[in-house]
């Protein structure tokens, strides 16, 4: 937290890919659903700028929606803290925890099924 009496702020930016807007919207909604956490949408941004927002103390963490070295139809997230970007191990832990939460939420009816008419469709290249 920037200080003990405030929210935890997460800056969220995106590259110019059109579908990034939908990802940012979903990401910010998820962030804002956590008590004590606020999303700060920076709009069109660069990966170095997102790290600088953290390093300079303008936010507690940041996420850049981008896939600069992938084809135009792909996108992803780059996560930053004040110290650095998240490591592969950090990302693996995050993915594992998200999977566990999704299973719990599915069991109580909060997440749609992964197959059938109500399914959320993921591209085959998405790996956990």
């Amino acid at each position: 937290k920037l200080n003990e009496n405030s929210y935890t702020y997460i800056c969220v930016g995106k590259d110019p890919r059109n579908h990034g807007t939908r990802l940012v919207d979903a990401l910010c909604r998820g962030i804002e659903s956590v008590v004590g956490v606020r999303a700060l949408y920076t709009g069109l941004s660069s990966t170095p700028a997102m790290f600088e927002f953290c390093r300079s103390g303008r936010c507690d963490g940041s996420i850049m929606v981008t896939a600069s070295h992938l084809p135009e139809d792909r996108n992803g997230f780059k996560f930053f803290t004040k110290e650095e970007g998240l490591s592969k191990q950090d990302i693996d832990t995050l993915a594992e925890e998200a999977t566990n939460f999704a299973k719990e939420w599915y069991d109580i009816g909060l997440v749609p099924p992964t197959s059938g008419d109500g399914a959320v469709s993921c591209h085959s290249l998405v790996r956990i």
Side-chain angles (χ1 to χ4, degrees), residues 10-17 19-25 27-28 31 39-51 53-54 59 61-67 75-80:
I10 309 296
C11 289
V12 181
K14 71 176 210 69
D15 70 12
R17 297 166 195 247
H19 56 285
T21 302
R22 289 187 304 239
L23 293 170
V24 165
D25 179 66
L27 189 56
C28 288
I31 290 168
L40 301 172
Y41 179 52
T42 65
L44 190 60
S45 192
S46 68
T47 298
M50 296 310 292
F51 175 64
F53 286 138
C54 291
C59 60
S62 65
I63 304 169
M64 178 68 184
V65 178
T66 185
N75 230 324
F77 302 127
K78 292 182 180 179
F79 300 88
F80 298 96

Side-chain angles (χ1 to χ4, degrees), residues 1 7 14 43 87 115 123:
K1 290 186 174 187
Y7 291 102
K14 71 176 210 69
S87 69
S115 62
H123 194 278

Side-chain angles (χ1 to χ4, degrees), residues 72-83:
E72 194 174 303
D73 65 334
R74 310 271 170 76
N75 230 324
F77 302 127
K78 292 182 180 179
F79 300 88
F80 298 96
T81 66
K82 184 176 183 179
E83 290 79 32

Side-chain angles (χ1 to χ4, degrees), residues 91-103:
I91 300 295
D92 289 345
T93 299
L94 184 63
E96 183 179 330
E97 289 181 12
T99 300
N100 291 337
F101 277 117
K103 287 176 185 175

